[in-house]
Amino acid sequence: LHVLLFDPADGSLSYSQSTEQLWKQGTDENAAFPFLYRPVNVAISPDGRTVIGVNVARSTYPDDPDPDAFFEGCNLPVFTLDAPGHITRRNDVVFPVRVSGGQSLVFSHDGRRAYIHTNYWDDEPDPYDDTLYWWYSEVQVLAVNGPGLVSHVGSMRSPTVRGTSQLFGVDNLAVTPDGNFLYATNPTVSGASPVIDVFSLRSQSHIKQIGTPTNYPDPINPEVLTIEW
C-alpha cells in the first residue's frame, strides 16, 4: 500500500510512505509455501485509525497436494494509522480457504463493524452439474474492537450468483444512513447479475433482491447501441 498526504488548502497530494509487499503476515517470498496478497481496494474506518486492504487471492485451492500448502482464503491485511501519512501493520484477518474474491469493504457508521463482499465456494458437484448451486455470493462480517483490532465474526449469504473477476478500486457495498441495511451490487462486469442484494444488519441476513433494468440505452447515441446483460 502507498500512503499519500492530502493538503486541504489546495487539494494536492504528496507521497509519504509505502509498505513492503503484502505477503501473509510474518512471511515473505522465502516461505516454504509463499502467499502473496493481491489487494484490489482499501478502506479506512470512520475514526481514521484502522486501514484494511481488500485482497482477492486465497493461498491455494482446497485440494492442493503440495505438502507445504496451507489453506486460507482471501485474508485481509490490517493497519493502524499512527500519524498523518504513516501506517503500521497489525494482525491479518484470516478467512477459510473457501472464501475468496474480495472486492469491496465498508465500515458501519460507528466503526465497530466492517463488511466485505466475497464469494464462497462449496464442493463442486461430482459428476459436474451446472444446474446445481454450489458457489455463493457472501458478505463477511468483521468486528472492529479498536484501532487495528479486526476479527472475522460471521457471514451473510446471498442467493445471487455473481462472477469473480475484480473491478480494481471500485466500491460495491453501501450502508444506509440509519445503519440498518447493507446494499451489495456486482464485484465484476463479466458474470454480473442485474440485481441489488439487501441485507439486514440487525438480523445479519439477506432479506431481498432489487431487480434492475436488463438493458441501458447508450447515453451518447441511444439509437445505435444498447448495453445488455
Side-chain angles (χ1 to χ4, degrees):
L1 294 184
H2 305 286
V3 184
L4 305 176
L5 284 170
F6 172 71
D7 187 340
D10 59 11
S12 63
L13 296 172
S14 58
Y15 172 80
S16 179
Q17 177 195 1
S18 293
T19 68
E20 296 180 352
Q21 280 190 296
L22 294 178
W23 299 95
K24 175 179 166 61
Q25 188 182 30
T27 72
D28 58 22
E29 68 274 16
N30 299 311
F33 194 81
F35 181 14
L36 179 63
Y37 297 168
R38 290 198 297 121
V40 297
N41 215 327
V42 66
I44 301 174
S45 61
D47 66 1
R49 297 293 310 281
T50 299
V51 179
I52 303 178
V54 179
N55 165 43
V56 60
R58 54 184 175 176
S59 61
T60 187
Y61 55 95
D63 299 323
D64 190 337
D66 189 323
D68 292 318
F70 57 90
F71 302 93
E72 295 178 357
C74 55
N75 298 348
L76 303 178
V78 179
F79 304 82
T80 51
L81 186 59
D82 304 313
H86 187 270
I87 58 176
T88 299
R89 193 162 180 183
R90 303 301 181 187
N91 291 335
D92 291 351
V93 176
V94 176
F95 288 131
V97 68
R98 294 186 182 276
V99 176
S100 68
Q103 165 62 39
S104 179
L105 185 145
V106 65
F107 285 86
S108 62
H109 299 312
D110 62 8
R112 297 174 60 186
R113 288 285 188 270
Y115 308 94
I116 176 174
H117 199 186
T118 66
N119 285 296
Y120 181 91
W121 297 88
D122 213 336
D123 290 325
E124 184 174 321
D126 186 16
Y128 181 78
D129 184 345
D130 62 7
T131 66
L132 296 179
Y133 195 54
W134 56 276
W135 59 276
Y136 307 87
S137 176
E138 278 194 347
V139 172
Q140 307 303 321
V141 182
L142 311 175
V144 184
N145 295 314
L149 301 175
V150 185
S151 59
H152 183 211
V153 294
S155 63
M156 299 182 289
R157 179 166 291 182
S158 159
T160 307
V161 177
R162 301 187 190 273
T164 60
S165 61
Q166 270 50 59
L167 302 172
F168 295 92
V170 175
D171 296 322
N172 72 309
L173 295 177
V175 176
T176 55
D178 62 9
N180 292 329
F181 301 97
L182 176 74
Y183 289 78
T185 58
N186 286 296
T188 179
V189 175
S190 57
S193 295
V195 168
I196 299 170
D197 285 309
V198 185
F199 299 87
S200 168
L201 298 183
R202 290 181 174 178
S203 64
Q204 296 285 288
S205 63
H206 182 273
I207 57 171
K208 68 177 179 179
Q209 296 172 310
I210 300 173
T212 60
T214 57
N215 62 82
Y216 299 86
D218 183 278
I220 305 301
N221 194 347
E223 295 182 358
V224 173
L225 174 66
T226 297
I227 302 170
E228 295 186 354
W229 290 96

